[in-house]
Amino acid sequence: MVEWTDSERAIINSIFSNLDYEEISRKSLCRCLIVYPWTQRYFGGFGNLYNAETILCNPLIAAHGTKILHGLDRALKNMDDIKNTYAELSLLHSDKLHVDPDNFRLLADCLTVVIAAKMGPAFTVDTQVAWQKFLSVVVFALGRQYH
Amino acid sequence: MNDDCNDGDDDADDDDDDDDDDDDDNCSLEGNYLNVNMSLSSKQKATVKDFFSKMSTRSDDIGAEALSRLVAVYPQTKSYFSHWKDASPGSAPVRKHGITIMGGVYDAVGKIDDLKGGLLSLSELHAFMLRVDPVNFKLLAHCMLVCMSMIFPEEFTPQVHVAVDKFLAQLALALAEKYR
């Protein structure tokens, strides 16, 4: 089981309580599709992904980004059992969506960059440590049921 | 609607750029993408030079912060600094070395047209003396990108991000050239 200090819990909760889900999720998913274009393979039915501008203006991508980010709420509410919280979602990504789990790490990295931009100096070293620890636990849990 | 949708200026440039990418593509599929040679287009090289120029007033801060974050977020990287009295994030030796590394990155920007040739001696240093596991180049690159994003949130657009990420990956490849 992952151990969280009070400070880490406070940092993670603070980030989420100040989060503009629509803005951050759209920017993160778009950034992932632009910086790692091979991730576009999972978005064949999402309309125009021709270049960075069309991706950034694509409402289907924006909506999906919000869905993904709200998925992180589950981990936030169950920080002491993220592994089991995501068992079903892990199976979904493996068996139905067929997403290479390395993509979870790529999206997590983009989310970190976007949040760093939003928070600026408030994204301190301790904040980054706690945030990336949280994301790495989520990423691990999402990849865990692959078989 | 969001701000990014009205970037009319970039539209034409990106369309032109697709042809450049076809010429520069050099894909040898060797497993993880760190080993895939994703060359920079001429537009991306210009993007990198332009962003690094904008960044130059804060390059020391970014270098120092990036290395501090590397040892904090990925504590296993401290194994390379066991000879320092204090390898904790924000310590004097860590900040100083971060600045040195950033200096090397800036030097590489000047050699962007031939990283392998230009970084030959640095590659030998990393291969035979420092022997840093190349996986760590990727970790440090990530920390650099985070710092760039924090300090230049408006300028570090997705388009700049992909160009800088590609450049840092090419730099890492050039540094690892002499490893084996």
Side-chain angles (χ1 to χ4, degrees):
Chain A
M1 197 182 91
V2 181
E3 302 282 336
W4 301 98
T5 64
D6 290 343
S7 163
E8 285 168 341
R9 287 179 201 273
I11 287 170
I12 304 301
N13 275 288
S14 168
I15 291 175
F16 275 91
S17 59
N18 292 314
L19 208 57
D20 178 338
Y21 277 78
E22 268 72 40
E23 181 203 353
I24 298 298
S25 62
R26 180 185 59 79
K27 285 182 170 173
S28 303
L29 183 56
C30 285
R31 194 166 281 249
C32 189
L33 295 171
I34 292 165
V35 177
Y36 310 111
W38 53 93
T39 58
Q40 292 170 27
R41 75 189 302 280
Y42 303 109
F43 296 90
F46 281 70
N48 193 349
L49 302 180
Y50 183 66
N51 59 26
E53 284 64 39
T54 60
I55 290 170
L56 287 160
C57 294
N58 185 318
L60 295 173
I61 293 295
H64 197 70
T66 308
K67 197 169 161 186
I68 293 174
L69 197 58
H70 278 296
L72 282 181
D73 289 342
R74 298 191 213 192
L76 180 69
K77 292 185 178 99
N78 297 285
M79 277 178 71
D80 292 314
D81 194 16
I82 292 177
K83 207 163 61 177
N84 287 318
T85 302
Y86 281 126
E88 206 185 305
L89 257 183
S90 178
L91 273 171
L92 174 81
H93 282 77
S94 160
D95 295 352
K96 198 158 168 240
L97 304 177
H98 307 291
V99 176
D100 182 338
D102 194 54
N103 291 282
F104 305 145
R105 184 183 57 82
L106 299 182
L107 181 57
D109 282 353
C110 286
L111 184 53
T112 302
V113 166
V114 168
I115 287 189
K118 186 72 184 179
M119 293 178 68
F123 196 64
T124 62
V125 174
D126 287 343
T127 304
Q128 185 178 350
V129 171
W131 178 247
Q132 288 206 215
K133 177 178 170 181
F134 176 75
L135 288 181
S136 66
V137 173
V138 168
V139 164
F140 176 76
L142 276 175
R144 199 164 171 274
Q145 301 300 328
Y146 277 62
H147 56 103
Chain B
M1 223 26 164
N2 58 75
D3 291 340
D4 307 306
C5 289
N6 297 322
D7 250 355
D9 289 340
D10 284 333
D11 283 358
D13 286 346
D14 267 356
D15 288 338
D16 289 341
D17 197 45
D18 290 341
D19 292 332
D20 285 343
D21 282 331
D22 289 336
D23 290 336
D24 286 343
D25 265 358
N26 184 1
C27 233
S28 60
L29 298 170
E30 285 176 31
N32 82 62
Y33 82 93
L34 194 62
N35 294 324
V36 178
N37 190 10
M38 294 183 250
S39 310
L40 288 129
S41 68
S42 38
K43 184 173 186 248
Q44 285 173 332
K45 286 181 188 176
T47 299
V48 169
K49 286 181 185 169
D50 182 58
F51 180 71
F52 271 74
S53 168
K54 281 182 189 150
M55 221 175 62
S56 57
T57 51
R58 302 293 305 272
S59 60
D60 281 359
D61 286 335
I62 290 174
E65 269 301 310
L67 194 63
S68 280
R69 281 155 196 268
L70 179 75
V71 297
V73 178
Y74 310 103
Q76 69 275 15
T77 56
K78 285 189 288 190
S79 63
Y80 292 99
F81 306 116
S82 53
H83 55 286
W84 289 342
K85 202 167 159 201
D86 182 5
S88 61
S91 72
V94 167
R95 290 190 66 86
K96 182 167 175 246
H97 196 62
I99 292 170
T100 300
I101 293 175
M102 202 63 189
V105 173
Y106 263 83
D107 186 60
V109 174
K111 298 169 177 171
I112 203 167
D113 290 317
D114 181 21
L115 286 171
K116 282 195 184 141
L119 299 180
L120 212 53
S121 52
L122 260 182
S123 179
E124 282 170 353
L125 176 75
H126 283 77
F128 305 125
M129 275 208 56
L130 303 177
R131 287 179 287 197
V132 173
D133 189 318
V135 72
N136 297 293
F137 300 149
K138 175 83 187 123
L139 302 182
L140 181 57
H142 169 71
C143 291
M144 286 180 172
L145 298 174
V146 167
C147 291
M148 290 171 188
S149 183
M150 266 172 62
I151 296 178
F152 294 95
E154 299 303 317
E155 294 87 341
F156 197 65
T157 62
Q159 293 91 324
V160 169
H161 182 161
V162 64
V164 175
D165 192 34
K166 276 175 80 168
F167 165 68
L168 292 175
Q170 291 281 300
L171 208 174
L173 272 174
L175 276 180
E177 178 71 14
K178 290 289 176 195
Y179 270 54
R180 58 176 174 175

